[in-house]
Amino acid sequence: MTLIVFFRHGKAEPKMPGVDDRERRLTEEGAADVECAARLLRGRGVVRILTSPYRRAIQTAEILARTLDLEYSVVEWLAPDSGISVEDLPRLGVGDGYVLVGHNPWMEDTVTELAGGFLELKAGGFAVVEVESFKAGGGKLLSLVNPGVISICQR
Amino acid sequence: MTLIVFFRHGKAEPKMPGVDDRERRLTEEGAADVECAARLLRGRGVVRILTSPYRRAIQTAEILARTLDLEYSVVEWLAPDSGISVEDLPRLGVGDGYVLVGHNPWMEDTVTELAGGFLELKAGGFAVVEVESFKAGGGKLLSLVNPGVISICQR
């Protein structure tokens, strides 16, 4: 059984003129959401964290790494518009227990391609997919956790 | 926005000769799973809990009601094989903020009918669906929480 976690970066600062989109940072609320969501993955077999090189994704990966006591690696193909498809994931070394930290629409589209259906992946949310085969319809959704829909933390 | 929570009863005692299926009780682990999952629904606008009349579902509803400080009502149509379809739900009074406690395959089938895709609804798990229209494809999956896939409680 190959479990892959698709983790969308937390809420970030709004787009501003003169600020490179790559440099937008998590808000305080965004960081808190990620930390709470990350705790739900403790002890669940996560072995590796890969992240987009954008600052808001790296900050998300840092929180995940700290919470799960792992390291993380930055990969360019998780940046927006990298053109990576579901079929490319095995070639890129993605396997059981990997967490991918990235951006919509790619994250939501990829989960939907694997498991089908209509779903929402909010900022700071994640989807756990059991992948049988890296192709359309090749996966099953095991969990989808979106901040704001359920109370992730007892704040 | 109409949010409906489909909550599957927790893990129950195995089927045994001489024990009516209606009377099977939650295991200790099943009750703990439900209590943990229920906490995630606190403060999220749940207004009403309806449950199947089977004992394992009623026990699940009792835990939900206590955790969410609500009452619950028993409805025969949430029993297995009642033949209720998605289209019947509005006529049965189901609306925004309702939690339905019932059984597979109905629960998983109904979530899949509304939101599409391939997903798993385990014992003690729940799905939050935003329903636009009570018909096939009329909903969007907002969260799917399955015990054992994520760490619902910090035990």
Side-chain angles (χ1 to χ4, degrees):
Chain A
M1 190 161 85
T2 304
L3 286 194
I4 311 286
V5 181
F6 295 88
F7 205 113
R8 191 175 161 211
H9 64 77
K11 284 194 194 80
E13 299 164 339
K15 290 183 192 181
M16 303 233 282
V19 176
D20 186 343
D21 181 51
R22 286 189 165 245
E23 294 302 326
R24 286 164 56 210
R25 293 172 172 276
L26 292 188
T27 63
E28 205 173 310
E29 183 194 1
D33 282 344
V34 169
E35 183 158 348
C36 291
R39 283 189 221 152
L40 300 181
L41 293 171
R42 273 189 193 148
R44 295 296 153 186
V46 172
V47 297
R48 191 94 196 271
I49 301 166
L50 304 182
T51 179
S52 141
Y54 281 34
R55 186 176 299 266
R56 58 191 181 277
I58 289 179
Q59 288 182 310
T60 299
E62 278 168 356
I63 295 168
L64 273 161
R66 196 172 62 233
T67 307
L68 300 175
D69 200 18
L70 288 169
E71 302 194 334
Y72 66 91
S73 303
V74 178
V75 294
E76 195 60 39
W77 60 264
L78 276 167
D81 303 322
S82 74
I84 288 304
S85 77
V86 166
E87 286 83 0
D88 295 319
L89 295 179
R91 176 178 63 74
L92 293 162
V94 174
D96 189 40
Y98 273 53
V99 179
L100 309 182
V101 182
H103 307 259
N104 268 4
W106 186 85
M107 293 248 116
E108 197 172 278
D109 288 350
T110 302
V111 173
T112 303
E113 187 174 359
L114 278 167
F118 309 101
L119 57 85
E120 193 161 332
L121 187 57
K122 294 176 187 278
F126 67 84
V128 184
V129 180
E130 180 186 336
V131 179
E132 175 91 15
S133 174
F134 285 92
K135 63 182 186 189
K140 189 160 65 168
L141 188 64
L142 289 192
S143 276
L144 170 68
V145 170
N146 272 323
V149 177
I150 56 173
S151 306
I152 298 180
C153 279
Q154 318 296 335
R155 285 189 218 167
Chain B
M1 189 161 87
T2 304
L3 287 193
I4 310 285
V5 180
F6 295 87
F7 205 112
R8 191 174 160 210
H9 65 78
K11 283 193 195 83
E13 298 165 339
K15 292 183 190 180
M16 302 233 282
V19 177
D20 186 344
D21 182 50
R22 287 190 164 243
E23 296 302 326
R24 287 164 55 209
R25 296 172 169 277
L26 292 187
T27 63
E28 205 172 313
E29 183 193 1
D33 283 345
V34 169
E35 183 158 349
C36 292
R39 284 189 219 152
L40 300 181
L41 293 170
R42 273 190 192 147
R44 296 292 152 189
V46 172
V47 297
R48 192 94 195 270
I49 301 165
L50 303 182
T51 180
S52 142
Y54 281 35
R55 187 176 297 269
R56 58 192 182 275
I58 289 180
Q59 289 182 311
T60 299
E62 279 168 355
I63 295 169
L64 272 161
R66 195 172 63 233
T67 307
L68 300 175
D69 200 19
L70 288 169
E71 302 194 334
Y72 67 89
S73 305
V74 177
V75 293
E76 195 60 39
W77 59 264
L78 276 167
D81 303 322
S82 75
I84 288 304
S85 76
V86 166
E87 286 84 359
D88 295 319
L89 296 180
R91 176 177 64 74
L92 294 162
V94 174
D96 190 39
Y98 273 52
V99 179
L100 309 181
V101 182
H103 307 259
N104 267 3
W106 187 85
M107 294 248 116
E108 196 172 280
D109 287 350
T110 302
V111 173
T112 303
E113 186 173 359
L114 279 166
F118 309 100
L119 57 82
E120 192 160 333
L121 186 57
K122 294 176 187 278
F126 67 84
V128 184
V129 180
E130 181 186 337
V131 179
E132 175 90 17
S133 174
F134 286 92
K135 62 182 187 189
K140 190 160 64 169
L141 188 65
L142 290 191
S143 276
L144 171 68
V145 170
N146 271 323
V149 177
I150 56 174
S151 305
I152 297 181
C153 280
Q154 318 297 333
R155 287 188 217 169

